[in-house]
Amino acid sequence: MLRRSPRRKRPKFTGWCGWEEGLRVKRICPSCGPEPVSEEKKGKGTPISVQLFPPELVEHIISFLPVRDVVALGQTCHYFHAVCDAEGVWRRMCRRLSPRLREQGSGVRPWKRAAILNYTKGLYYQAFGGRRRCLSKSVAPLLAHGYRRFLPTKDHVFILDYSGTLFFLKNALVSSTLGQIQWKRACRYVVLCRGAKDFASDPRCDTVYRKYLYVLATREQPGMVGATGPRACDCVEVYLQSSGQRVFKMTFHHSMSFKQIVLVGQETQRALLLLTEEGKIYSLVVNETQLDQPRSYTVQLALRKVSRCLPHLRVTCMASNQSSTLYITDQGGVYFEVHTPGVYRDLFGTLQAFDPLDQQMPLALSLPAKILFCALGYNHLGLVDEFGRIFMQGNNRYGQLGTGDKMDRGEPTQVQYLQRPIALWCGLNHSLVLSQDSDSNKELLGCGCGAGGRLPGWPKGSASFVKLQVKVPLCACALCSSRECLYMLSSHDIEQHLAYRDLPAGRTAGTPELGPAAGAPQDPGGAARALEEYLNQVHSCPTLQARVAKMREIVGWLPLPSAQRDFFWGALDMLQRAAAGGSPGSPAPES
């Protein structure tokens, strides 16, 4: 006869830290010392410090955690901070995230930088039309080492990574989960070329005009007579954006090294501006209408006038549109080239200094501080200085300057309620700012024309920067908008960040500056008349819901800080919901 033995209770497993009963593993922080053991814990076993485990084993276990969890674990104590910050952990994580990455990259912490770059990379887009107006993510190329730059064209999107590989993200017809065939953006990818430094296309905001893609790359050229071997030479390759086929190539002398390329001008007189490592600018002119013809010809590379007339200037970056070019020097100075009288009038409000016979003459902008980066639209521009202040200039017909009114500005004017932006973008008649609030959450602000859904949540537009109804990725660093879609690039480089300075004592961020660069403060009498007009507009609304909607629109017009504007919008939404729950059609009592 068999007797059933009593079942023994199995010990409960609590995770990688050990068992609930028997042997218990315990973390002991070296700075705090061992934790005192109470009388109740003495009978449960002797605690063992996690430091007794081999460091290779601890690093191997931690390397299987997601990047977000590794960063959070490293903030618990000194021991885990040292373990989670070891290059061995990040090397294993980088191999897991990017198995095809063979080189560790450059920098002080190459493996950590590479792992974070590949963990945070992503391209997000939100279409303005259609039923679904939500944020979507494009396909992520497995070969990409982070995302450095992107550019949408007429049909596709091009992305440049940190290893110099240019990817071609195609739009295609795909099958959905329900079996339906639908058109999807950036869902297939191929490698366009390698060894790329920079790329550019038609500088106009409308992607319809972007037919060709100009790629600045480095290629090995066969050695000449008497040379020891092949030499690396910079070249410009031209590709068709529709198919990715290369149609033109021009090679430069091996002694010239470039780092940036921009385009300016019409298709028949397309000027290519090339920035050297020494800060000099060269230019050449091509005819885009003849690029697809199979023939070879020689173009002349000449020094641009800004580098010829001002040889002491060292340009660090360039920005361009169809009719103007902007240069930023290493000292934070800004110089302008304007090639058409209409754009000149919109930017400066006068044609007094415009010379149609000398359109390349650089014009210096008067600014109170060093400029870090800029954005150039068709007839307006935005500048960000070392203190994080935003200055806008140019045409303000649709309120694209974000100053709260629709008056043109012929000089850089500070936007008082915006500070320390992450990215700035200027389009045809609207502007976008990517900023970060006090809780480290990213938000997207916009102003100007809202037609076509280009300002989500504000179809009528706004003369002030308002918060758009867009879910911004946590690591968003760049943005761009076309006629059909809004794009945001996500990538985090631990070695590149905007280091804004604090304003000197006596100059707060919200204090307007007197001078030609910042503009004079607004007239108090004019502001009072504007507020009285807004009150009359609210009073003329027939219902309470209409008054709340008008007040919500007026709050977006007022130059209020972001926190105060969000507070007023939230309160108005509460009032509107309460009014809808009562009698939405009844007229409101007179005030």
Side-chain angles (χ1 to χ4, degrees), residues 13-19 25 27 50 53 58 61-62 65 73 80:
F13 185 72
T14 59
W16 70 274
C17 294
W19 301 89
V25 180
R27 176 182 59 82
V50 73
F53 289 97
V58 179
I61 295 174
I62 293 178
L65 296 176
L73 183 63
F80 278 117

Side-chain angles (χ1 to χ4, degrees), residues 139-155:
V139 62
L142 297 177
L143 300 176
H145 178 40
Y147 291 163
R148 192 175 71 179
R149 268 203 64 199
F150 79 102
L151 180 67
T153 58
K154 179 181 178 181
D155 303 314

Side-chain angles (χ1 to χ4, degrees), residues 221-231:
Q221 299 295 331
M224 303 297 292
V225 178
T228 58
R231 291 180 175 179

